[in-house]
Amino acid sequence: MPTYIVLLGPPGVGKGTQANILADTASIPHISSGDLFRENIAEKTDLGMLAQAYINKGELVPDDLTISMIRSRLHQPDCKNGALLDGFPRTIVQAHALEKLLGEFNGKVDYVPYINAPEPILVERLSGRWTCKENGHIYHEKNNPPKRSGICDEDGSELYQREDDKSETVVNRIAVYFKQTAPLIDYYRKQGLLTEVDGAQSIEKVTASLMAIIEKKG
Ligand code: ADP
Ligand code: AMP
């Protein structure tokens, strides 16, 4: 049976950082909807062109576009043992679509770690985030700096600051999260799938909390 993990939490709490670490241990791929959109934008695909306007404003990309992008990613062979989903679902409509989609693979959502931290921490993390151009590896100028400034430790590519990490957009992204994504907390809690993790801890401590959830259930 494949294993599907949904990492839930506000922007900047550390989902991508943790997913990069966990995907290696759990031997399932890390699927970040944000990374998939950014790849489409870089390649100037039709989807990328459509998504860019929403992303730059900090709004959500429409559900139908997002769901079909995730559907095609989950159909790829490397997902045969499951996936670690980061940034998807972000609405109740997407959560319903995910259930239907996983049914096609005889799977279901197995765990939903919900990583949370107070808003000032999110703002500080997003404003200091540096992302690698090639593979989306994540750094922070103070909390998790690269060995050489501006260069990714993993693949040597250039680091850049995301357009949507500008302060005006950050405020909107957090508001959008509370309005459209936070209802998923109760949705998964009612299904008994949710486990809360304190995202204000160090990267290592958050990883340890997440590992404990996966090992306990697995
Ligand atoms: P998300 O995917 O939830 O938006 P990221 O993983 O991209 O969040 O992390 C946002 C920023 O916070 C990055 O700059 C990252 O290096 C930093 N970060 C992530 N986790 C922690 C942590 N536990 N403590 C301090 N900084 C962190
Ligand atoms: P992220 O990399 O997760 O911070 O996502 C960056 C941006 O991509 C978000 O602010 C949205 O505009 C868009 N996005 C990512 N995932 C989704 C999703 N599941 N639904 C709608 N929009 C999304």
Side-chain angles (χ1 to χ4, degrees):
M1 281 271 279
T3 303
Y4 297 98
I5 303 171
V6 168
L7 279 186
L8 193 62
V13 79
K15 300 180 298 298
T17 300
Q18 296 300 329
N20 281 332
I21 301 170
L22 290 178
D24 290 342
T25 331
S27 31
I28 52 175
H30 166 202
I31 299 182
S32 154
S33 42
D35 283 352
L36 292 174
F37 283 128
R38 283 183 288 276
E39 282 165 31
N40 275 278
I41 292 171
E43 288 162 15
K44 298 193 163 48
T45 65
D46 291 345
L47 173 64
M49 304 292 205
L50 278 166
Q52 188 163 30
Y54 295 96
I55 293 177
N56 286 352
K57 281 188 281 184
E59 300 292 332
L60 295 187
V61 178
D63 285 331
D64 53 344
L65 296 176
T66 307
I67 292 163
S68 66
M69 176 180 77
I70 293 290
R71 172 176 286 116
S72 33
R73 181 66 188 87
L74 285 173
H75 271 97
Q76 287 174 21
D78 64 324
C79 296
K80 66 178 188 316
N81 295 325
L84 179 53
L85 291 165
D86 156 19
F88 183 91
R90 254 177 162 98
T91 63
I92 296 282
V93 171
Q94 292 180 13
H96 287 310
L98 179 63
E99 268 147 46
K100 217 170 132 214
L101 179 54
L102 298 186
E104 294 170 22
F105 306 104
N106 291 322
K108 58 175 176 41
V109 173
D110 293 292
Y111 335 104
V112 183
Y114 162 45
I115 315 175
N116 198 16
E119 201 167 322
I121 292 189
L122 306 177
V123 172
E124 187 267 336
R125 288 186 184 173
L126 291 171
S127 58
R129 172 160 67 185
W130 286 80
T131 305
C132 125
K133 270 207 172 132
E134 281 302 315
N135 295 299
H137 295 115
I138 303 161
Y139 298 86
H140 188 280
E141 57 195 22
K142 290 205 202 86
N143 307 339
N144 182 27
K147 292 194 183 81
R148 279 186 300 157
S149 166
I151 307 286
C152 178
D153 294 348
E154 307 279 330
D155 58 31
S157 78
E158 197 186 321
L159 303 181
Y160 74 104
Q161 284 194 295
R162 280 171 43 178
E163 183 66 23
D164 61 344
D165 283 345
K166 285 192 307 201
S167 58
E168 319 85 81
T169 317
V170 160
V171 171
N172 191 38
R173 283 165 63 204
I174 294 174
V176 165
Y177 165 80
F178 281 115
K179 190 154 174 256
Q180 293 182 264
T181 306
L184 291 176
I185 301 166
D186 262 357
Y187 178 81
Y188 286 122
R189 185 181 279 129
K190 283 189 184 130
Q191 296 181 33
L193 296 172
L194 197 89
T195 311
E196 294 193 35
V197 172
D198 177 7
Q201 307 175 94
S202 67
I203 292 177
E204 294 71 24
K205 285 198 170 141
V206 176
T207 306
S209 306
L210 291 169
M211 294 293 291
I213 295 170
I214 295 170
E215 278 159 12
K216 199 166 115 203
K217 296 228 185 174

